[in-house]
């Protein structure tokens, strides 16, 4: 299969500090390509300020204006190479092979260290900078104050099989952990990875709160709706078939958040909806407008009222609840749970673990144990992040006000507010 030309992806840097960088993708089209591009942009810690998408069904032209969402260093060359990897080539053989997804080998990073505040986030930041994707995590604290961390990771650069890449990973972890690092081991994962595919059971009450489809103002949950969540409820999705003989116009007006375009593109990709033309307007007063001319996979407009309603409902739910955040009791302990839907292709949302640990570090909350796993509910698969939290003098975890502050801080970090 041919490799896409370097010209398929162009990145033009901003002329001065603060100016957006322009990412242009010009290549053969495929269903879900815009979603895959938005996934990568989010994974690299970038925020899309505006964008244009157009395609004739065979060839597409995508332009995104992006800015870093944080002060993290962006490796633009690596981003370009990753974007090229999701672009179809001009070769006919691509269309025979595009469904044959290549599985990346999973590696086990196991290290033991002395516990301290922010340890888990510092390790996660190193892995993100090394472009290692965290697939599963099992973190436990021993009675003597040591932490055993098991990170199951894949390498986006596909070099982790080399000794140089393995040594680089362990050296960077040692640099961050310092003398607190007792041991560090990296190897190809074995059957133990399969054992962590599932999750320890969720109670029916917790599962209902995590996976409910929508919240009405009258519903009572363990955390009250924050002002930010009330704003999200004002999302409008309109379907119009009068402006184009061949396309359905989908108009979205909503509160902006980090990963918004990815959430919209993910929903359309999972529904097998093709975008012929799309414009993502700049944010005005925290609000975002999207205009999308779309078709079904068979190239027809969406005229069935039931299909229109189902699509609007899924989009609204995706924008109201792109991430679910709650705190609950787990026996005598306090547990933070975060859930996000998984793409039908199996991809999870990027940088969720990074953002959660960053928020908890900023709050000064220590994590006793953590795990990531998959869970099936509401006719789809979810990625679940579970953290047992430790009490401290600032946050009495039995206090509802303190719990709401933790949930609000974690949610705001995840949403980029």
């Amino acid at each position: 299969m041919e490799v896409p030309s370097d010209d398929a992806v162009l990145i033009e840097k901003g002329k001065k500090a603060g100016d957006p960088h322009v990412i242009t993708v010009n290549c053969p089209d495929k269903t879900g390509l815009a979603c895959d591009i938005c996934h990568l942009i989010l994974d690299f810690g970038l925020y899309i300020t505006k964008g244009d998408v157009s395609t004739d069904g065979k060839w597409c032209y995508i332009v995104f204006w992006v800015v870093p969402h944080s002060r993290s260093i962006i490796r633009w060359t690596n981003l370009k190479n990753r974007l090229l990897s999701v672009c179809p080539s001009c070769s006919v053989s691509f269309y025979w092979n595009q469904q044959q997804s290549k599985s990346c080998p999973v590696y086990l990073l196991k290290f033991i260290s002395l516990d301290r505040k922010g340890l888990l986030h510092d390790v996660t930041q190193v892995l993100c900078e090394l472009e290692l994707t965290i697939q599963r995590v099992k973190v436990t604290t021993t009675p003597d104050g040591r932490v055993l961390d098991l990170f199951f990771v894949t390498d986006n650069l596909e070099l982790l099989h080399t000794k140089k890449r393995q040594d680089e990973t362990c050296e960077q972890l040692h640099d961050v952990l310092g003398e607190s690092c007792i041991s560090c081991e990296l190897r190809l994962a074995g059957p133990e990875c399969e054992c962590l595919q599932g999750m320890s059971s969720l109670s029916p009450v917790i599962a209902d709160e995590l996976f409910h489809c929508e919240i009405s103002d009258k519903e009572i949950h363990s955390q009250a709706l924050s002002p930010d969540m009330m704003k999200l409820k004002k999302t409008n999705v309109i379907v119009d078939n009068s402006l184009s003989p061949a396309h359905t116009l989908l108009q979205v007006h909503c509160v902006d958040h980090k990963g918004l375009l990815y959430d919209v593109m993910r929903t359309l990709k999972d529904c097998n909806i093709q975008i012929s033309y799309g414009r993502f307007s700049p944010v005005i007063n925290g609000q975002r407008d999207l205009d999308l001319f779309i078709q079904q996979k068979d190239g027809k407009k969406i005229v069935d009222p039931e299909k229109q309603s189902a699509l609007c409902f899924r989009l609204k739910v995706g924008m109201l609840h792109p991430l679910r955040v709650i705190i609950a009791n787990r026996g005598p302990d306090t547990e933070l749970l975060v859930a996000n839907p998984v793409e039908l292709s199996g991809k999870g949302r990027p940088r969720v673990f990074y953002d959660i640990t960053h928020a908890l570090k900023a709050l000064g909350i220590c994590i006793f144990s953590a795990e990531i796993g998959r869970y099936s509910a509401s006719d789809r698969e979810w990625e679940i992040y579970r953290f047992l939290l430790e009490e401290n003098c600032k946050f009495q975890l039995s206090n509802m006000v303190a719990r709401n502050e933790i949930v609000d801080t974690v949610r705001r970090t995840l949403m980029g507010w």
Side-chain angles (χ1 to χ4, degrees):
M1 184 175 71
E2 291 182 21
V3 176
S5 165
D6 279 355
D7 292 339
V9 176
L10 299 176
I11 299 178
E12 181 182 349
K13 305 287 186 64
K15 294 181 180 178
K16 60 179 185 294
D19 283 358
H21 308 277
V22 183
I23 297 175
T24 303
V25 179
N26 185 16
C27 68
D29 195 18
K30 68 172 182 177
T31 301
L33 178 60
C35 174
D36 296 341
I37 291 172
C38 288
H39 185 280
L40 278 174
I41 289 173
L42 182 59
D43 196 15
F44 271 76
L46 294 167
Y47 167 76
I48 300 173
T49 61
K50 64 176 182 176
D52 283 291
V53 175
S54 61
T55 177
D56 60 1
K58 296 180 179 179
W59 201 272
C60 74
Y61 187 75
I62 299 174
V63 184
F64 286 132
W65 286 258
V66 302
V67 294
H69 212 288
S70 63
R71 295 183 178 180
S72 56
I73 298 173
I74 308 298
R75 293 179 170 84
W76 295 102
T77 300
N78 290 2
L79 173 59
K80 178 175 180 177
N81 290 334
R82 294 277 302 282
L83 288 169
L84 284 169
S85 71
V86 301
C87 290
S89 74
C90 300
S91 170
V92 174
S93 61
F94 168 81
Y95 297 98
W96 292 96
N97 297 307
Q98 61 177 328
Q99 301 300 325
Q100 299 176 6
S101 57
K102 181 176 62 176
S103 60
C104 296
V106 179
Y107 291 81
L108 169 60
L109 173 63
K110 174 182 176 182
F111 66 90
I112 301 173
S113 67
L114 300 177
D115 195 16
R116 62 171 172 80
K117 288 182 180 179
L119 171 67
L120 197 53
H121 177 69
D122 293 343
V123 172
T124 303
Q125 185 169 2
V126 170
L127 299 182
C128 285
E129 291 174 351
L130 288 167
E131 295 187 52
L132 299 176
T133 298
I134 301 170
Q135 302 293 344
R136 298 286 181 273
V137 167
K138 187 71 173 179
V139 177
T140 53
T141 304
T142 62
D144 61 356
R146 297 185 179 190
V147 177
L148 170 62
D149 287 19
L150 302 177
F151 282 85
F152 293 87
V153 300
T154 53
D155 185 9
N156 295 321
L157 302 183
E158 300 183 6
L159 295 172
L160 207 50
H161 62 282
T162 65
K163 186 176 185 302
K164 180 180 178 181
R165 178 75 161 152
Q166 293 181 9
D167 290 344
E168 177 191 19
T169 301
C170 290
E171 286 170 7
Q172 291 206 26
L173 284 171
H174 275 291
D175 289 343
V176 169
L177 300 176
E179 295 181 357
S180 65
C181 184
I182 298 172
S183 67
C184 180
E185 176 188 347
L186 181 59
R187 60 177 175 80
L188 197 63
E192 66 270 33
C193 182
E194 297 299 324
C195 297
L196 291 179
Q197 290 289 327
M199 294 285 295
S200 49
S201 62
L202 296 173
S203 72
V205 173
I206 298 302
D208 177 66
E209 187 167 357
L210 270 178
F211 307 122
H212 60 270
C213 289
E214 58 182 336
I215 293 181
S216 70
D217 296 341
K218 296 180 181 178
E219 287 184 84
I220 299 174
H221 294 272
S222 62
Q223 280 78 43
L225 282 175
S226 67
D228 291 325
M229 293 300 288
M230 292 300 293
K231 290 179 185 177
L232 284 177
K233 289 177 66 61
K234 298 179 181 178
T235 294
N236 290 320
V237 181
I238 299 173
V239 174
D240 189 341
N241 276 316
S242 65
L243 296 178
S244 170
H247 300 89
T248 296
L249 172 60
L250 189 68
Q251 293 179 301
V252 178
H253 177 78
C254 61
V255 174
D256 191 39
H257 67 257
K258 181 168 66 176
L260 169 64
L261 296 186
Y262 168 69
D263 291 323
V264 173
M265 296 299 113
R266 170 180 53 78
T267 301
L268 296 179
K269 178 183 178 181
D270 286 351
C271 293
N272 274 324
I273 298 297
Q274 298 174 334
I275 301 173
S276 297
Y277 175 77
R279 171 155 290 179
F280 317 119
S281 302
V283 175
I284 300 177
N285 297 325
Q287 303 285 322
R288 172 89 77 166
D289 287 311
L290 287 71
D291 296 296
L292 305 169
F293 286 88
I294 60 175
Q295 292 178 328
Q296 299 180 100
K297 194 173 183 180
D298 59 8
K300 297 179 180 180
K301 300 167 68 169
I302 306 174
V303 295
D304 184 338
E306 290 188 4
K307 290 184 178 180
Q308 293 178 7
S309 297
L311 178 60
C312 290
F313 177 77
R314 288 196 62 172
L315 284 167
K316 286 181 179 180
V317 170
M319 288 181 281
L320 174 62
H321 285 314
L323 297 136
R324 320 289 176 93
V325 185
I326 65 171
I327 278 186
N329 294 325
R330 187 174 178 182
D333 300 313
T334 301
E335 184 175 42
L336 173 72
L337 298 100
V338 177
N340 62 265
V342 175
E343 293 180 31
L344 291 181
S345 64
K347 285 184 184 177
R349 189 187 187 88
R351 298 176 76 89
V352 175
F353 195 77
Y354 176 93
D355 284 340
I356 298 170
T357 54
H358 179 267
L360 294 176
K361 179 180 179 180
L363 290 169
I365 296 176
C366 286
I367 300 167
F368 181 77
S369 69
E371 61 177 319
I372 304 175
R374 298 285 176 98
Y375 191 91
S376 295
S378 300
D379 298 323
R380 70 178 310 150
E381 190 174 33
W382 300 77
E383 202 155 44
I384 312 295
Y385 302 78
R386 306 181 71 168
F387 300 83
L388 285 184
L389 307 180
E390 294 185 0
E391 293 270 3
N392 64 30
C393 57
K394 182 179 178 182
F395 290 96
Q396 299 300 316
L397 297 179
S398 59
N399 182 283
M400 187 58 68
V401 174
R403 288 187 171 206
N404 285 341
E405 183 179 350
I406 294 170
V407 167
D408 189 54
T409 300
V410 171
R411 181 185 289 121
R412 289 181 66 85
T413 302
L414 287 164
M415 301 290 275
W417 291 335

